[in-house]
Amino acid sequence: MSANESTFDPLQPHSHEPNPAPPSDDPTIRLVTVNGRASKITVTNLQKLPKISIPDCYIVSTGHGTSGPFLFGGVTLLDFINSYAKGGWTEVEVISEDGFGNRVYKEELLEPSQAGAILLAYEIDEQALTREQGLVRLIVPSERDDALRQVKWVSEIRLKRP
Ligand SMILES: Nc1nc2c(c(=O)[nH]1)N[C@H]1C(S)=C(S)[C@@H](COP(=O)(O)O)O[C@H]1N2
Ligand SMILES: [Mo]
C-alpha cells in the first residue's frame, strides 16, 4: 500500500462528479453514537431544534457552475449533536445513501468560520428543501471547493472518537 492509499479518507473532500438524483425516497436519518447506539431522526425532529438561517451561501457546483446566493435554514450540526448525544466524540461523519459524505471535526463546530456555522439545512430561501434539492443537506458555508462538503440527502450521522 502506498503512503497515498494509507491516508486516503473517502469522507474528506476529493474530486467528485455530482449526483443529480436522490438515492432513495427514505427521508429518515440514522444517528449512530460513539457506543454504536442508533436512532432514527426525521425532519420534524430537526424542526423542533433552534433554527438558524445563514445568508449568502453558494453552491460551487462542478456540474452546473455556481448557484446562489442562498439563504439556508436549519439546525447547527453542533446543536443537533448536543441534543441527541452525550459527549465523548471528536469528529462526525455525515453520509448520504449514495456514498457521498463528509468528515467534520469537533473544532470546526466549536469555532465556526466567519461565513457561518455548519448546518443541517432543511430549508432553502425559506422553502422546505425538496427531495430533489437534498431534503436534509449539510451546509458548510466556508467551503468553496466544488461543493465537496455540501452533502445532499443526509441519511447517516456517525459520531466518532479517536
Ligand atoms: N449526496 C450527495 N451530495 C452531493 C453530491 C453527491 O454526489 N451526492 N455532490 C456534491 C457536488 S460535487 C456538488 S457540485 C453539489 C451539487 O449540488 P447542487 O445539485 O445543489 O448544485 O452537491 C454535492 N453534494
Ligand atoms: Mo462538485
Side-chain angles (χ1 to χ4, degrees):
M1 193 190 273
S2 74
N4 208 16
E5 278 171 305
S6 65
T7 55
F8 178 77
D9 179 352
L11 297 179
Q12 283 293 279
H14 50 86
S15 70
H16 176 80
E17 284 308 312
N19 176 8
S24 87
D25 289 332
D26 183 358
T28 42
I29 299 174
R30 218 170 101 93
L31 170 69
V32 184
T33 58
V34 281
N35 54 24
R37 199 171 303 130
S39 47
K40 286 192 186 270
I41 310 290
T42 63
V43 179
T44 312
N45 297 141
L46 299 184
Q47 286 165 340
K48 292 188 175 132
L49 298 173
K51 186 177 152 189
I52 298 291
S53 295
I54 304 185
D56 299 325
C57 294
Y58 291 87
I59 302 294
V60 185
S61 170
T62 8
H64 45 85
T66 298
S67 56
F70 299 115
L71 174 71
F72 279 106
V75 56
T76 68
L77 186 55
L78 185 61
D79 280 350
F80 167 73
I81 295 171
N82 284 342
S83 61
Y84 279 93
K86 297 204 178 92
W89 55 279
T90 56
E91 53 189 67
V92 47
E93 299 176 345
V94 180
I95 304 165
S96 165
E97 240 172 273
D98 67 357
F100 188 84
N102 198 228
R103 184 179 308 285
V104 180
Y105 295 96
K106 191 174 202 170
E107 299 86 81
E108 298 181 88
L109 303 183
L110 295 179
E111 286 169 37
S113 90
Q114 284 223 319
I118 296 178
L119 219 59
L120 284 176
Y122 49 78
E123 281 183 7
I124 182 169
D125 294 335
E126 294 173 320
Q127 304 289 313
L129 277 167
T130 62
R131 186 70 188 153
E132 199 75 9
Q133 290 172 318
L135 195 72
V136 174
R137 179 171 199 165
L138 184 73
I139 293 298
V140 181
S142 61
E143 191 269 337
R144 292 288 181 275
D145 188 19
D146 291 338
L148 292 172
R149 302 191 75 187
Q150 319 295 332
V151 185
K152 295 187 277 190
W153 313 299
V154 171
S155 64
E156 192 160 296
I157 298 176
R158 303 183 74 93
L159 300 177
K160 297 277 173 168
R161 64 179 151 215

